Amino acid sequence: MSQSPQNITVLGSTGSIGVSTLDVLARHPDKYRAYALTANTSVDLIIPQIQRHSPRFAVMRDERSAQQLEDQLFALGHKETAVLSGEKGLLRVASDEAVSAVMAAIVGAAGLSPTMAAVTAGKKVLLANKESLVMAGHLFMEAVETSGATLLPIDSEHNAIFQSMPARYQSGKSTGLASEGVRRILLTGSGGPFRELPLAQLPLVTPDQACAHPNWDMGRKISVDSATMMNKGLELIEACWLFNTTADRIDIVIHPQSIIHSMVEYTDGSVLAQLGNPDMRTPIAHALAFPDRIDSGVGSLDIIATARLDFEAPDYQRFPCLRLATEAAAVGGTAMAVLNAANEVAVDAFLAGSIRFTDIPLTIEHVLAAKTIVEPDTLALVQAQDASARVLANRFIETLIRA
Ligand code: NAD
Ligand code: MG
């Protein structure tokens, strides 16, 4: 007997991960249906997605773009999709009873409350929005535990780590990494576009140079994070929460080819890795179908053409963001939400051409030093820390601009 397709909500459908997710969904109309699509304000990008997938709901960030979308859909004679707006709309489609799985692919802190809503509603949550875990990891993982939600990592490294874990761990029946004989996690990263750039040139790099990643095609914020290696720092924190471990059990390894997506070492000396072409459709398809396997559209890995796999230790001097993230992880509490907020503000300012690339870590360091760190026991407290860190970051950036 054939089952009806599972309803999937794609938060951030117009972004890089959102587009890859819709590509995978479209390959399996018998299994999945895009139930809700959401975007910031890009009406032009979401219209063809709505026409192609006929979701039950589309959510825009504000009422103005929702009204624009509604008008344009009306003019096109498209009647199947109801348009919602704002946080209320996002929370609705993240927790809707009809939804089986939620792809959390909004970028940045804006993804926190809809992702938490999906977790609280006990959904299968495909987590791309690493910032929500960095900001509120403790509360987030507690909510997963309480609601019985299934959390599957989309970030390629964390998906690779998950795939390299024993079946007992993957099925949620493990008591922890130690009982599985895991000695350490090897978190790989390409080192980004500036791994070998002469240090003196770093202050001069442009947003377009920072966004030209050698191996991955991603949104602009995560591309800049990859260039500063803040992305690897956020991923270190993400891995601590996801795998309930500490940073001293995770080694960051630079692997410029991005073919190995991360590794797990066991006490007997075995090291298991997941390899593949650098294409996010692989982790997306893995998490969507887990524990089954489905076609993702990603071609076979040509291991002969790949020929070489190189590895290096990370350079903390070149990449101060990596040090700042590691320190914030050690401090704990709201340090990670503060780190994340200052980084988002600084990256925005860099992308807008207001500050230099090397001002990004300066801003974060300044804000971290200025904030009192506490142990957050509510989401509201995390959000308040996020907001005040943004004020401090913006003030510091003003002084940089005037100098
Ligand atoms: P992107 O910038 O390409 O897309 C972001 C999406 O979020 C868009 O649909 C945009 O409309 C929406 N959005 C942005 N601001 C919003 C707001 N304030 N309110 C509501 N919606 C908003 O980003 P991306 O590269 O697809 O990354 C998405 C998330 O996935 C990030 O957290 C990133 O760290 C993570 N991630 C991405 C990749 C990748 O390959 N792109 C890999 C691993 C993890
Ligand atoms: Mg990653």
Side-chain angles (χ1 to χ4, degrees):
M1 202 177 73
S2 73
Q3 284 188 325
S4 52
Q6 291 177 29
N7 286 326
I8 314 291
T9 283
V10 185
L11 301 171
S13 67
T14 54
S16 163
I17 293 286
V19 167
S20 293
T21 304
L22 290 181
D23 181 277
V24 177
L25 296 185
R27 289 167 194 276
H28 304 280
D30 54 323
K31 291 189 166 66
Y32 311 110
R33 166 176 184 244
Y35 181 79
L37 304 181
T38 87
N40 194 14
T41 51
S42 38
V43 173
D44 293 351
L45 292 180
I46 205 169
I47 284 184
Q49 295 188 333
I50 292 172
Q51 288 181 303
R52 168 73 181 77
H53 294 272
S54 275
R56 175 79 188 80
F57 294 105
V59 187
M60 302 303 293
R61 180 183 171 180
D62 52 44
E63 273 184 38
R64 193 162 155 262
S65 36
Q67 191 58 54
Q68 273 176 14
L69 177 60
E70 212 160 54
D71 293 347
Q72 294 196 35
L73 289 177
F74 183 78
L76 289 162
H78 181 96
K79 299 196 183 82
E80 295 84 352
T81 303
V83 179
L84 309 174
S85 69
E87 177 146 311
K88 209 168 147 219
L90 286 175
L91 299 185
R92 159 88 201 270
V93 299
S95 57
D96 192 307
E97 235 180 40
V99 169
S100 302
V102 175
M103 166 58 78
I106 289 176
V107 61
L112 177 60
S113 31
T115 307
M116 277 298 266
V119 168
T120 309
K123 300 296 179 198
K124 172 168 169 173
V125 179
L126 317 180
L127 185 71
N129 176 247
K130 64 190 87 185
E131 294 91 344
S132 52
L133 208 45
V134 168
M135 290 173 74
H138 186 66
L139 297 165
F140 193 107
M141 296 311 289
E142 223 168 54
V144 170
E145 186 79 23
T146 310
S147 70
T150 306
L151 186 61
L152 289 162
I154 294 299
D155 215 341
S156 55
E157 296 77 5
H158 306 73
N159 186 270
I161 294 163
F162 182 84
Q163 292 200 49
S164 304
M165 290 291 177
R168 188 167 46 188
Y169 184 91
Q170 293 184 1
S171 61
K173 294 196 187 98
S174 166
T175 51
L177 296 193
S179 65
E180 298 305 328
V182 171
R183 190 188 274 162
R184 63 177 178 145
I185 288 170
L186 294 121
L187 179 69
T188 56
S190 69
F194 305 140
R195 187 172 56 91
E196 292 177 316
L197 191 79
L199 281 181
Q201 289 177 29
L202 270 186
L204 309 172
V205 300
T206 65
D208 283 345
Q209 287 170 327
C211 288
H213 196 279
N215 308 330
W216 297 95
D217 182 10
M218 309 179 286
R220 283 173 84 75
K221 191 264 175 179
I222 185 177
S223 295
V224 176
D225 284 350
S226 300
T228 61
M229 285 204 74
M230 177 54 89
N231 185 49
K232 214 45 60 186
L234 299 178
E235 290 185 356
L236 176 79
I237 299 170
E238 185 186 11
C240 289
W241 290 119
L242 279 175
F243 303 108
N244 190 19
T245 188
T246 44
D248 60 329
R249 295 239 163 204
I250 304 175
D251 286 348
I252 295 173
V253 179
I254 304 304
H255 164 46
Q257 291 92 355
S258 301
I259 293 296
I260 291 183
H261 299 306
S262 280
M263 299 173 257
V264 175
E265 183 183 292
Y266 291 84
T267 42
D268 62 4
S270 300
V271 179
L272 302 193
Q274 186 258 2
L275 286 74
N277 289 321
D279 187 321
M280 291 306 291
R281 290 176 302 174
T282 294
I284 291 167
H286 167 267
L288 256 180
F290 180 79
D292 294 338
R293 295 274 179 178
I294 55 168
D295 172 37
S296 65
V298 177
S300 288
L301 172 64
D302 187 343
I303 198 106
I304 306 289
T306 305
R308 285 181 58 151
L309 299 176
D310 295 313
F311 305 97
E312 300 168 4
D315 181 343
Y316 286 85
Q317 246 184 332
R318 174 181 289 269
F319 298 113
C321 285
L322 205 46
R323 171 179 58 79
L324 291 168
T326 311
E327 285 169 4
V331 170
T334 47
M336 292 167 279
V338 170
L339 170 96
N340 180 69
N343 180 56
E344 284 190 26
V345 172
V347 169
D348 270 351
F350 169 68
L351 282 172
S354 312
I355 61 170
R356 292 177 304 183
F357 184 74
T358 42
D359 291 333
I360 298 173
L362 283 186
T363 307
I364 301 166
E365 185 138 37
H366 171 84
V367 176
L368 272 172
K371 285 284 300 171
T372 309
I373 303 306
V374 295
E375 213 39 68
D377 49 8
T378 63
L379 213 52
L381 181 61
V382 172
Q383 279 158 336
Q385 290 278 323
D386 170 271
S388 62
R390 281 169 200 269
V391 172
L392 284 178
N394 276 313
R395 261 191 226 146
F396 182 71
I397 285 170
E398 280 302 316
T399 65
L400 289 177
I401 295 172
R402 273 191 259 113

